Amino acid sequence: GENVEQHPSTLSVQEGDSAVIKCTYSDSASNYFPWYKQELGKRPQLIIDIRSNVGEKKDQRIAVTLNKTAKHFSLHITETQPEDSAVYFCAAHRRNTGTASKLTFGTGTRLQVTL
Amino acid sequence: NAGVTQTPKFQVLKTGQSMTLQCAQDMNHEYMSWYRQDPGMGLRLIHYSVGAGITDQGEVPNGYNVSRSTTEDFPLRLLSAAPSQTSVYFCASSSGRSIIYEQYFGPGTRLTVT
C-alpha cells in the first residue's frame, strides 16, 4: 500500500519567517495530495490540495509544490503568523479500481510560530 | 447545516465492553469514513463507505465494524474494547464517491479503554 513520510515532526519559526514541510510518498499511482491543518483540540480542516497534473498551487500565504518524478510534495507558508501554529498533515490518494478510495496521511508536523 | 456530527464527545470503557460511536452528516455526501488519531501516528483509516449499503476496510479495521444503511449515518462499533483502542476517533465525509474532494471532519470522540 501507500506509505507517506512527513518531515519535520516539529518546526519552530519566528513570526514573519517562512515554514516548509515536506512529504514523500511511495506509490507512483497516487494522484491527489491534500494538506490538512489541525488546531489544538479541533478537527482537521483542508487548507490546500494539489492534483498530479499540476506542479504548484498557491492560495495567499500558502503554497504546495509537487515533484512527481521524485515522489515528494511540500507545503510552504510565508509571512507566518501566530494563528498558523497548529499540526499540519499531508496525505496522498491512490487511484484504485472499483470502489476503493483511500487517503494515507503523514504523521504530522507541529508548527509553532513564536513572537 | 450542522455538517458532520459525532456522539459522544468523550467515552470511558472497560476492557471487553462494546459500544457504538455515532456519526451523521447532513450534506448528502456519499463518501464517509472513520479515522483514529494517535500521537505521532497521524490519521489512520479504519473503515469507509462510498454509499448506502457499501463499506470497505481501511488500514486498521481489526476490532471495529461498520454499516451504512442510510446516506446520512455511518456508525462505528467496537465489539470488545481493548486498551489499544484508546484514541481519538474522527468521522469524515466527502462529496461524490471518491475522496479526491475535500473531506469534512466531525469534532471527534475521545475514547479511553481501561
Side-chain angles (χ1 to χ4, degrees), chain B residues 36-58:
Chain B
R36 60 176 290 172
Q37 183 175 32
D38 303 293
M41 300 188 74
L43 293 152
R44 292 183 292 168
L45 182 65
I46 304 172
H47 286 285
Y48 68 99
S49 168
V50 298
I54 306 170
T55 63
D56 206 346
Q57 296 182 348

Side-chain angles (χ1 to χ4, degrees), chain A residues 31-32 36 38 41-46 49 51 87 89 93 99-108, chain B residues 4 31 35 37 40-43 45 48 50 56-58 90 97-103 105-107:
Chain A
N31 60 350
Y32 172 65
Y36 283 81
Q38 186 178 29
K42 302 287 184 64
R43 70 192 78 186
Q45 291 187 297
L46 180 73
D49 56 14
R51 300 179 190 277
V87 178
F89 293 98
H93 170 262
T99 61
S101 185
K102 308 175 186 179
L103 269 183
T104 300
F105 282 85
T107 51
Chain B
V4 181
Y31 186 96
Y35 294 89
Q37 183 175 32
M41 300 188 74
L43 293 152
L45 182 65
Y48 68 99
V50 298
D56 206 346
Q57 296 182 348
F90 287 100
R97 288 199 159 197
S98 170
I99 47 172
I100 55 170
Y101 302 97
E102 177 174 3
Q103 284 204 93
F105 283 84

Side-chain angles (χ1 to χ4, degrees), chain B residues 42-83:
Chain B
L43 293 152
R44 292 183 292 168
L45 182 65
I46 304 172
H47 286 285
Y48 68 99
S49 168
V50 298
I54 306 170
T55 63
D56 206 346
Q57 296 182 348
E59 57 182 308
V60 288
N62 292 342
Y64 308 95
N65 273 358
V66 292
S67 61
R68 184 94 179 271
S69 56
T70 67
T71 299
E72 295 77 21
D73 301 298
F74 190 44
L76 178 72
R77 297 184 187 85
L78 280 69
L79 308 174
S80 178

